[in-house]
Amino acid sequence: MKIIAMIPARYGASRFPGKLMQDLGGKPVIVRTYEAAKETELFDEVYVVTDSDIIFKVIEESGGKAIMSKKEHDCGSDRIAEAVENMDVDIVVNVQGDEPFTSKSGLEQVLSVFNGADAEKIDLASLMTEINDWKEISDPNAVKVIVDKDNFALYFSRSPIPYPRDKNVAVQYYKHKGIYAFRKNALMDFYRLPMRSTEAAEKIECIRYLEYGKNIKMAISNTQGIEIDTPEDLVRANKVLKETKNVSVNNKYRNFPMVPKVVFGSGSFDQLTSIISPERKDKAPFIFIVDDVFKNNQEFINRMNLRFNDKLLFVSTAQEPKTEQVDSIVKNIKAEFTYAPSGIIGIGGGSILDLAKAVSLMLTNKGSAADYQGWDLIKNKGIYHVGIPTISGTGAEVSRTAILTGPEKKLGLNSDFTPYDQVILDPELTVGVPKNQWFYTGMDCYIHCVESLNGTFLNEFSKSYGEKAYDLCMQIFLEDNLTEQESREKLMMASWHGGMSIAYSQVGVAHAMSYGLSYVLGTKHGIGNCIVFDYLDEFYPEDVKIFKKMKKIHNIEIPQGICSNLTESQMESMIDIALSLVPLWENALGDDWEAIATRDKLRNLYLKM
Ligand code: NAD
Ligand code: ZN
């Protein structure tokens, strides 16, 4: 069955002209509605059908599909009918352009009736919701509907129906919601049939179907959307959007998962085989994604103890993980095995740990990893995944994100399904890390602590982890009187705590600017943070002083002049990327961050680096 969504969009709505182009959290209302419909993943295609060049253009520009209607139309159904006349589709769902919070569950309900026992009889389906307040029941703006025993519509009216002559009979009133799922034939019939007087009198489109003997099946929905009919509705919608965004991106009461199982200690790597064996599902392999520095280390490979058709993938970390790299690994796994793997094991630094998390997620979520860069876009739980760090500092082993560079942005797959199911912390695995790299990745941890502890999002939860990690970094990088083994063990725990510290907080200026370097020049995360942090005394004065001391103690050179030969467009793009990371700036500088982090300020800082 081919199912499409059509969003009729008239520019000059009578009550609130131009309402579909009003700003809702930085995007026009109609774009929000389009994206919401698309995100439900219920439709083969989603289109906006409009009479307006402006709406057409804004949908196309945001990557959506729009159709210009050729004729003048009295109502949305006619507009849709004209557009689908020559399309090969079975079911057409009209989504209201002014309902930007269109919920998946409502649409699912209206579509589900076509799978019921009486599906054959149904010409179209629509939604109704219970109402109990007499004020609403008697309000002519709310269309009421009554149904038969099988929920087929008997009549729609602006009057209260049924009329409550006997007040002792318990009747449930229902309000009609303007979402329809039409069989294409029913829609085309509607287009051709003339309006009759009952429809004209009530001014309710769907009465026409009843007048011509069509069967309308009603499904009950209890989700209340927000319809934007007035400027006040728009203010309310903006508020709702801000609140929902804050819940997922921000910090007030975040409900986040933590890694449920972790083992620590030198030699703990050898526990891997027994840890994963209960997760092995018959013939389904484990896929080991391993940093290719270990490629010639046969002893290490033997310790992984691959069985049956387990697969070992060595991956270069010369570049940080990309969405297309994730897509291609997933594609290969799917091509090679007909069943889903038993698990994904990531062994390496932050690059490999993020890559393995992303592969686990993309095996169960369709499309490209690029579609999921952002907060809470992942829909399905990933494959069982185990993380084993071989260098310490990023906190990627504990975090809720898998940072990827995509075609348009560098941003993580940040979701409740991202954290590892199991982590093995074996400090011995970090023995071979080169000195410079040890410092760069270690400083990632130090900078996580500095940015979290100095941020406006800080609370006691974050602070308790951040302070511990900060203290460990001081012991490791400043005091320098530890044995190598102590130092390795402490850094592994600092990385963990630093990661936990930002779980309830955010990073800040160094990370925002380092993302800019990384996107434009491919500068790696750890070294990029060091390059930037060296010049951030305005934001983190004491901690930058300490950083410079650490650098000196360990004799570390930081590359200089990397931005001196940038083209103007590279510089602009670097600044754009850095400034796009709004939560990072909000954490670092508070609500008024834009007044402080100006384009000029960023440009001057980059030019020094
Ligand atoms: P990395 O994973 O790229 O590794 C750095 C280098 O160290 C590589 O050359 C690697 O081959 C080498 N290496 C690793 N283990 C080794 C070992 N035991 N012996 C010898 N060499 C070894 O770098 P990283 O700094 O660990 O991670 C950076 C990545 O982490 C970036 O992609 C960044 O975006 C990501 N990151 C993620 C999070 C998160 O929360 N998910 C947080 C911070 C950074
Ligand atoms: Zn970092």
Side-chain angles (χ1 to χ4, degrees), residues 243-251 254 375-376 400 414:
E243 279 162 10
T244 35
K245 243 210 222 149
N246 280 350
V247 172
S248 56
V249 176
N250 233 321
N251 50 349
R254 298 197 51 201
W375 277 269
D376 300 300
R400 185 186 184 270
N414 203 315

Side-chain angles (χ1 to χ4, degrees), residues 393-395 403 443-445 447-448 451 502 507 511 515 525-526 529:
T394 64
I403 302 171
M443 283 301 108
D444 190 22
C445 174
I447 295 169
H448 289 164
E451 295 189 319
I502 37 180
V507 282
H511 275 76
Y515 275 31
H525 187 82
N529 282 352

Side-chain angles (χ1 to χ4, degrees), residues 274-287:
S274 62
I275 286 173
I276 64 176
S277 82
E279 303 291 335
R280 192 179 284 283
K281 293 184 199 74
D282 199 21
K283 284 193 198 139
F286 278 99
I287 313 287

